[in-house]
Amino acid sequence: MTEQFEARNARVRQLSDILACAAQLAGPQFSGLGVLVSDEPHKLPLFPLRAIVAMAAEAGAADQLGEVSVVGGPFHDGFHILSASLGVTRLSQYFSPPIVPDLPIDRSKPIGGRYLAALFGSKLPAVLMSAIATPAHGIVIFADGEVIRRRELPC
């Protein structure tokens, strides 16, 4: 049990670092990010926003996410899907999870659709974690309907 907890914490830290690096790489044109961590994306309510999504296989997740998360870029909308090993598997996916009415929601800052989709989506069995990175909220990582990590953006 302790090994599972430590492995999960390491993955959470790694995801946080990937999102922070992506935001820094995007620079002042950073548009924000939404990601889902899942090895079963075929079980998720996803629809591709772009007909063709070419990914540079040799680029790391932070580089890929930083490149697509700039204002006005063709792939900045939607959620991006990462595998359990945190590699990018899909870009720019419309994600429409069911509403979970009884979840506590932190309304200390204004929230939007990306925040709620990540929160609600984290309750789906096929989602290991979900996360957002935005100028307003920083990095917020969710699992099973709860915030498990918050971090300020580096830029």
Side-chain angles (χ1 to χ4, degrees):
M1 186 67 126
T2 302
E3 287 178 22
Q4 283 180 329
F5 182 75
E6 289 176 12
R8 178 182 170 202
N9 279 346
R11 190 179 311 146
V12 170
R13 284 191 305 274
Q14 186 180 4
L15 178 58
S16 177
D17 290 345
I18 287 169
L19 296 175
C21 186
Q24 198 162 20
L25 288 169
Q29 293 297 308
F30 179 63
S31 64
L33 282 168
V35 299
L36 304 171
V37 179
S38 175
D39 279 337
E40 302 176 296
H42 60 281
K43 293 183 178 179
L44 298 176
L46 298 172
F47 189 84
L49 293 171
R50 303 292 174 262
I52 299 172
V53 179
M55 292 183 289
E58 67 279 354
D63 291 327
Q64 288 179 351
L65 294 174
E67 186 176 321
V68 301
S69 63
V70 294
V71 174
F75 302 111
H76 80 277
D77 281 332
F79 275 75
H80 310 295
I81 314 305
L82 306 180
S83 66
S85 61
L86 302 180
V88 176
T89 62
R90 298 183 188 191
L91 293 173
S92 298
Q93 302 290 306
Y94 175 74
F95 178 54
S96 181
I99 293 169
V100 183
D102 297 331
L103 287 181
I105 297 172
D106 177 6
R107 295 182 187 267
S108 61
K109 294 181 181 179
I111 57 172
R114 182 184 288 155
Y115 184 99
L116 289 176
L119 173 63
F120 295 153
S122 73
K123 291 290 286 181
L124 295 172
V127 174
L128 302 171
M129 294 183 286
S130 60
I132 62 164
T134 68
H137 288 277
I139 295 166
V140 185
I141 301 176
F142 304 93
D144 197 29
E146 295 183 10
V147 173
I148 59 171
R149 183 172 177 103
R150 287 186 187 274
R151 177 178 173 181
E152 294 295 319
L153 284 177
C155 47

